[in-house]
Amino acid sequence: MPPRHRLPAGHDTLDQILFSQGFGARRECEGLILSGRVSIGGQVVDDPDSDWPTQGLRFTVEGQEWVYHDKALIVLNKPAGYECSLKPGAWPGVHNLLPLPLRRRGLQPVGRLDQDTTGLLLMTDDGPLLHKLTSPKHHVPKIYEATTKHPITQAQCDKLLAGVLLDDDPKPVKAEGVEIAGEYLLRLTLTEGKYHQVKRMVAAVSNRVEALHRSQIGDLILPSDMAPGQWQWIDDPAVVLPKRGAKQG
Ligand code: URA
């Protein structure tokens, strides 16, 4: 629908703002506003055509506080028992953990974690950013905590650092960093994102992953006070992008 009047740059009408943030079809957003269920700065705003600067705009819809984000990038603390697939099968999808406006915006997981893996999962509706973050050229370090079946040995760590062969790649796959964090706890840093990579690498050194948790991507550490199933906005994608001068390709 074309704008009903010319708006200053960085401004939009309230109904369009609600629509863009996932609060429903245009008509539904208009209805929410006209029925007095939207407020800004503590005041009800019942004019769908009122114009507002979008940057950082805070508003409330039916008691739910929201902050305008042109593009959404969020971090979710993924619990076990959820699939990252857009068409989940045996398990519920991670989308079920998001509030309705984010589900309507069609956020996609940035890469995938297995159903039984927990921890840091990024999700976005920013197509170019998704492409950048999932490109094989994107060598951002990811840190995983793997609980193993057998005690971890230094020989296993050395092999993981030197590179192990996986069945779908003729070249050895190396861990960027390996730390024995406990008798059965291995902290692995990887810069690639191959299918079941941690589990297969650990199996290749004759151990077995019993539980897997991702704790960090780039400079973004999963906040320790974030319970499984909770999510937060990320306002600066630079925290999960490669550093200037980092290895590419
Ligand atoms: N490696 C795995 O094996 N599983 C994951 O979920 C992520 C990395």
Side-chain angles (χ1 to χ4, degrees):
M1 203 185 284
R4 277 160 278 198
H5 52 82
R6 189 178 285 277
L7 296 166
H11 284 228
D12 224 331
T13 56
L14 189 54
D15 59 350
Q16 176 58 29
I17 289 172
L18 260 58
F19 173 66
S20 71
Q21 300 302 289
F23 283 90
R26 277 286 192 105
R27 278 277 160 81
E28 287 174 71
C29 294
E30 207 173 37
L32 285 167
I33 300 163
L34 289 169
S35 57
R37 283 177 282 174
V38 179
S39 30
I40 300 180
Q43 302 291 315
V44 169
V45 181
D46 60 6
D47 178 3
D49 214 20
S50 56
D51 91 70
W52 296 88
T54 53
Q55 171 85 25
L57 182 70
R58 290 175 177 273
F59 55 95
T60 304
V61 179
E62 297 184 299
Q64 182 179 19
E65 281 190 43
W66 209 253
V67 182
Y68 179 93
H69 285 81
D70 184 26
K71 295 291 177 200
L73 174 64
I74 64 150
V75 51
L76 170 73
N77 184 359
K78 180 191 171 297
Y82 284 83
E83 283 183 27
C84 289
S85 164
L86 292 177
K87 291 198 179 127
W91 303 89
V94 286
H95 296 88
N96 291 293
L97 297 163
L98 304 181
L100 190 55
L102 289 183
R103 296 211 294 274
R104 285 205 186 102
R105 283 177 76 161
L107 269 67
Q108 300 203 36
V110 178
R112 289 188 180 184
L113 291 178
D114 298 334
Q115 167 278 120
D116 54 354
T117 301
T118 59
L120 198 165
L121 180 70
L122 298 172
M123 297 182 77
T124 186
D125 64 354
D126 184 337
L129 180 66
L130 180 70
H131 180 74
K132 214 185 266 182
L133 291 174
T134 49
S135 151
K137 289 188 179 157
H138 180 250
H139 287 287
V140 163
K142 299 180 184 75
I143 301 185
Y144 293 90
E145 326 278 338
T147 305
T148 57
K149 183 172 169 70
H150 309 291
I152 298 148
T153 65
Q154 190 56 49
Q156 289 171 353
C157 295
D158 294 344
K159 282 188 200 160
L160 290 167
L161 281 172
V164 295
L165 280 175
L166 302 180
D167 46 15
D168 58 354
D169 198 337
K171 288 192 297 229
V173 178
K174 293 179 189 176
E176 200 72 14
V178 179
E179 188 191 324
I180 301 179
E183 194 180 358
Y184 295 89
L185 187 63
L186 186 64
R187 187 167 297 128
L188 270 184
T189 306
L190 303 183
T191 54
E192 299 151 294
K194 294 180 185 297
Y195 180 66
H196 290 333
Q197 186 168 345
V198 175
K199 291 174 185 166
R200 292 195 297 152
M201 287 180 76
V202 171
V205 299
S206 306
N207 206 327
R208 186 189 156 95
V209 172
E210 299 270 279
L212 187 58
H213 179 81
R214 184 159 66 190
S215 56
Q216 187 169 344
I217 297 183
D219 290 340
L220 181 69
I221 299 171
L222 188 70
S224 58
D225 58 352
M226 200 185 210
Q230 284 190 341
W231 66 276
Q232 280 179 13
W233 294 105
I234 298 174
D235 288 318
D236 181 9
V239 290
V240 289
L241 285 169
K243 294 271 164 287
R244 282 172 80 90
K247 183 173 76 164
Q248 291 287 306

